[in-house]
Amino acid sequence: MHIVVCMKQVPDSAQIRVHPVTNTIMRQGVPTIINPYDLFALEEAMRLRDQFGGEVTVLTMGPPMAEDSLRKALTFGADRAVLLTDRTFAGSDTLATSFALASALSKIGEVFGPPSLVFTGKQTIDGDTAQVGPGIAKRLALHQLTYVARIVALDPDAATITVERRAEGGIQVLSTRLPALITMLEGVNEIRRGTLESAYRAACAEIVIWNAAAAGIGDLGKCGLRGSPTIVKKVFAPSPRAEKVQQLPTADLPAEAVAESVIREIFKRQPAIEGDLVRFSAGQ
Amino acid sequence: MTEVPKQASGPAGGRASTKRELPEHFKAYRHVWVVVECEHGVVHPVSFELLGEGRKLADKREVELAGVVLGSDPAAIAAAATACFEYGADRVYTVTDPALAHYRNEAYTKAVTDLVNSYKPEILLLGATAFGRDLAGSVATTLLTGLTADCTALAIDDEGSLAATRPTFGGSLLCTILTLNYRPQMATVRPRVLAMPVRRPGRHGQIIEHPLNLAESEIVTKILQFIADRDSNKAQLAYADIVVAGGLGLRSVENFERVKELAAVLGAEYGGSRPLVQKGWIAADRQIGQTGKTIRPKLYIAAGISGAIQHRVGVEGADLIVAINTDPNAQIFDFAHLGIVADAVTVLPALTVAFRKHLSVNRLAS
């Protein structure tokens, strides 16, 4: 069974800083990581491979330095890595991204065998859109299973899969046919530590690097900025609320006095809250 | 939706200025639509929030507002349609079919894309829930149009386009996104980001029924079971009247107990900022902010939270924000109403004691 995991290399958002004066992003020195949500997808894919046999290919679209994330995935235990990189892809929105990745997935199918399952994380931590997975599924007519919490059953020979999906207000148990696309929920497994052997293999491995042409993309108008229906009109930092914060005095005051003044001010500004609280308290 | 705005170096980049004229075949697209999320006979409140905002957008564009209601039970659909009218819709498009009994991507994508292709709305809004996020990506890809996820503000710009604002760069900045040359312009908005509109009983509109044209036998994915969440396990953060939350300023998971104690006295829900989830101090469903829950309580108490944009957009709808932080320059004081520059670890227990005392006195008095 062939499984492909789509990953993204993202800036470690915990370390992004905004310049206090110019309000621009200070990108220098921000380290990149594999999008943390994608690691749950990678681990789940490797577990299925270990159970049913086959191969896990990791695929990413990004600049040449995204090779670091692919090599990391090989260290964890992926079998093959494909990097889709081309200036043409710069500025892709989610529609253009799903086009490029779907094209590469088709090419992967031709070269390395068609995947039965495609995995992605539930979203990325930089874009947070959760749109690329469904976009790929639609373009390749893969059965779409988003927010999967657990794979209940998989039968590669019968080409069927049953999963638990996190829905509004509960868990949906869904069954469908392969090939399918799964976006994996976070926290459902823990990425394994790579073995010494996989680390060695990763260090020596040759990463498959494709540009648009190599991935079989003929229509460059569907890529990058040109292929993106959305445009970013402006990027900005929000301005402080017009009404300035009222700082309550705290210097040299005991915590009890501060607390009393906070409560007084809350009830003064929102008188209804006092009544609500008294009713709640009386009902206890 | 543009993930990382690499092209964001200047306002209105190349495409914005070169392709100003909307292609001829899109000029027939008019009116604002909201896809109503109706599961298990109940309309998700986010759908009404979207109708409230959709009404403003439609008025600005001088077009109609419509709800899209899909399902299998005619009575539930009729009730949802009535609610749509009372929350501001002029029309409701319905598709009634046994295959739509519960949400499934294939059937719902077909229903919505068929409706769009038949009736051509210029704006299509969905809630950014598990339902809306699963559906919107498929619909946008099928229609090959632009989709902006998790918007925090929607507006009509000077040229009549939908200007959708959302956090970017992991929530450190905001960006405004347009879909200039494609229709419909699609956006999702998370629950509680928009205010709940006033319901106007007796308000009526026109219902337009549309067939699904898809047999159950053609749908590959089957629902075997639905396991409803037990209410006791669920954090009711999004709709709580009072929320107390903690951040890294609390310094330890033990100190986070002070947040829970204050919440208990106030009958409030408790939550925390994103780093606390990453540290494992709180469950993911208690995260407040852009990637967690958006809240609109009457009172929000933020203890030891710095107030990054991704947190700010999740709490800005609160009526009263009280922030406790040792750093007088913390970003949270940019949008809090009441500020207390002090150590939350000392102030929280003092607040708990003082509230308890205050309420017991009041209870005796009443």
Side-chain angles (χ1 to χ4, degrees):
Chain A
M1 189 172 54
H2 188 197
I3 306 175
V4 181
V5 182
C6 300
M7 304 191 321
K8 186 180 182 190
Q9 186 175 63
V10 296
D12 189 347
S13 67
Q15 302 192 40
I16 290 183
R17 294 284 176 273
V18 179
H19 193 280
V21 177
T22 60
N23 273 334
T24 52
I25 290 281
M26 296 164 30
R27 288 190 224 212
Q28 278 163 344
V30 176
T32 54
I33 53 173
I34 297 177
N35 172 43
Y37 292 120
D38 297 343
L39 295 177
F40 302 108
L42 176 60
E43 176 59 30
E44 203 64 27
M46 291 193 296
R47 286 183 188 187
L48 294 176
R49 173 202 61 193
D50 296 348
Q51 192 180 345
F52 294 96
E55 286 183 322
V56 171
T57 299
V58 286
L59 166 67
T60 198
M61 179 176 106
M65 71 169 196
E67 188 179 325
D68 298 347
S69 287
L70 290 174
R71 222 169 269 286
K72 184 86 185 160
L74 292 173
T75 310
F76 288 130
D79 301 287
R80 178 188 301 113
V82 178
L83 171 63
L84 183 62
T85 186
D86 198 311
R87 291 294 306 160
T88 309
F89 301 135
S92 295
D93 72 357
T94 54
L95 194 75
T97 301
S98 73
F99 172 74
L101 286 172
S103 305
L105 280 161
S106 298
K107 192 72 184 179
I108 285 173
E110 284 172 30
V111 179
F112 304 111
S116 303
L117 283 169
V118 175
F119 276 91
T120 73
K122 74 161 190 180
Q123 64 196 57
T124 59
I125 60 164
D126 58 348
D128 278 321
T129 70
Q131 283 165 202
V132 172
I136 294 170
K138 181 52 67 187
R139 288 178 183 279
L140 297 176
L142 305 170
H143 296 109
Q144 174 174 324
L145 302 167
T146 54
Y147 307 108
V148 169
R150 193 165 78 92
I151 293 168
V152 181
L154 173 67
D155 186 337
D157 297 325
T160 57
I161 186 166
T162 304
V163 302
E164 290 181 358
R165 170 178 185 265
R166 164 60 32 206
E168 293 298 313
I171 298 280
Q172 268 185 337
V173 185
L174 294 173
S175 82
T176 195
R177 295 187 62 78
L178 304 180
L181 178 134
I182 291 177
T183 81
M184 209 66 203
L185 206 62
E186 75 275 20
V188 296
N189 57 39
E190 199 171 328
I191 188 75
R192 64 193 63 185
R193 300 167 75 97
T195 60
L196 212 57
E197 189 205 336
S198 64
Y200 178 74
R201 219 159 24 83
C204 311
E206 192 153 330
I207 301 224
V208 180
I209 299 176
W210 287 342
N211 60 14
I217 297 174
D219 186 354
L220 298 182
K222 291 182 179 171
C223 298
L225 269 176
R226 278 203 293 158
S228 299
T230 63
I231 66 149
V232 177
K233 193 180 183 193
K234 61 172 177 175
V235 177
F236 58 102
S239 40
R241 202 193 282 271
E243 174 208 358
K244 287 279 279 183
V245 64
Q246 178 190 351
Q247 293 284 8
L248 297 177
T250 53
D252 304 326
L253 286 175
E256 293 71 28
V258 173
E260 282 300 336
S261 71
V262 172
I263 292 175
R264 232 181 358 258
E265 200 56 44
I266 288 173
F267 290 165
K268 194 172 108 193
R269 283 172 174 251
Q270 296 285 329
I273 289 177
E274 184 168 16
D276 291 350
L277 283 176
V278 170
R279 272 189 296 281
F280 163 74
S281 167
Q284 283 286 288
Chain B
M1 172 34 230
T2 300
E3 292 200 303
V4 179
K6 306 170 188 79
Q7 68 271 51
S9 46
R15 273 175 310 154
S17 43
T18 52
K19 298 202 298 189
R20 187 142 306 210
E21 184 76 3
L22 189 66
E24 200 58 39
H25 61 285
F26 284 133
K27 287 187 176 165
Y29 283 67
R30 284 186 75 199
H31 307 304
V32 178
W33 284 16
V34 173
V35 178
V36 174
E37 179 169 350
C38 186
E39 274 281 74
H40 312 288
V42 183
V43 176
H44 195 295
V46 73
S47 302
F48 300 140
E49 295 161 11
L50 286 167
L51 284 167
E53 190 70 14
R55 183 72 261 167
K56 295 180 205 163
L57 300 176
D59 289 346
K60 182 92 188 279
R61 291 283 300 143
E62 298 178 345
V63 296
E64 289 183 351
L65 172 68
V68 174
V69 180
L70 313 172
S72 62
D73 174 14
I77 287 177
T82 301
C84 286
F85 295 135
E86 295 185 349
Y87 279 110
D90 304 303
R91 286 170 192 240
V92 171
Y93 294 92
T94 64
V95 183
T96 313
D97 194 286
L100 300 170
H102 300 290
Y103 175 71
R104 274 181 300 175
N105 182 271
E106 290 162 277
Y108 274 65
T109 300
K110 168 130 178 42
V112 173
T113 50
D114 280 1
L115 280 171
V116 167
N117 286 327
S118 302
Y119 299 100
K120 305 186 188 321
E122 62 186 80
I123 293 173
L124 182 63
L125 307 176
L126 299 92
T129 58
F131 165 96
R133 288 181 137 208
D134 189 276
L135 180 58
S138 300
V139 170
T141 310
T142 308
L143 299 170
L144 297 175
T145 190
L147 165 59
T148 306
D150 293 6
C151 301
T152 53
L154 299 175
I156 301 294
D157 74 5
D158 295 342
E159 291 172 22
S161 298
L162 177 69
T165 297
R166 77 183 304 268
T168 185
F169 285 111
S172 50
L173 287 175
L174 296 169
C175 62
T176 299
I177 291 172
L178 307 177
T179 298
L180 281 185
N181 300 315
Y182 299 85
R183 291 293 180 269
Q185 307 159 85
M186 290 182 63
T188 66
V189 183
R190 298 166 62 87
R192 299 295 270 165
V193 167
L194 304 167
M196 179 65 78
V198 177
R199 186 169 186 157
R200 306 204 182 283
R203 205 177 166 281
H204 293 293
Q206 184 191 8
I207 293 180
I208 295 143
E209 292 172 16
H210 198 81
L212 178 62
N213 292 328
L214 181 69
E216 180 60 46
S217 57
E218 298 172 72
I219 305 173
V220 175
T221 302
K222 305 292 178 193
I223 301 172
L224 305 183
Q225 201 187 347
F226 183 80
I227 308 161
D229 292 334
R230 276 176 299 165
D231 277 348
S232 56
N233 292 346
K234 262 192 300 185
Q236 301 293 341
L237 268 177
Y239 292 89
D241 279 339
I242 304 179
V243 175
V244 186
L248 281 180
L250 294 173
R251 300 189 294 278
S252 74
V253 66
E254 291 75 27
N255 287 337
F256 190 81
E257 291 299 312
R258 307 291 89 77
V259 169
K260 292 189 195 171
E261 287 157 10
L262 178 57
V265 167
L266 298 176
E269 284 284 343
Y270 72 87
S273 60
R274 178 155 71 181
L276 301 204
V277 179
Q278 286 163 350
K279 280 183 170 288
W281 293 6
I282 55 170
D285 68 346
R286 295 207 178 263
Q287 182 193 325
I288 296 169
Q290 165 71 3
T291 54
K293 296 283 192 306
T294 298
I295 59 172
R296 299 180 79 87
K298 294 177 185 166
L299 172 62
Y300 176 54
I301 300 176
I305 292 177
S306 62
I309 290 176
Q310 83 91 15
H311 186 79
R312 174 175 178 169
V313 298
V315 304
E316 257 184 327
D319 292 336
L320 180 59
I321 300 173
V322 179
I324 312 165
N325 202 300
T326 48
D327 176 6
N329 297 317
Q331 281 173 282
I332 192 132
F333 294 127
D334 285 348
F335 57 96
H337 302 94
L338 286 181
I340 299 115
V341 179
D343 185 358
V345 178
T346 1
V347 175
L348 281 174
L351 274 174
T352 305
V353 170
F355 266 118
R356 194 180 281 137
K357 196 173 74 187
H358 192 89
L359 294 176
S360 62
V361 169
N362 258 293
R363 189 163 42 180
L364 291 175
S366 66

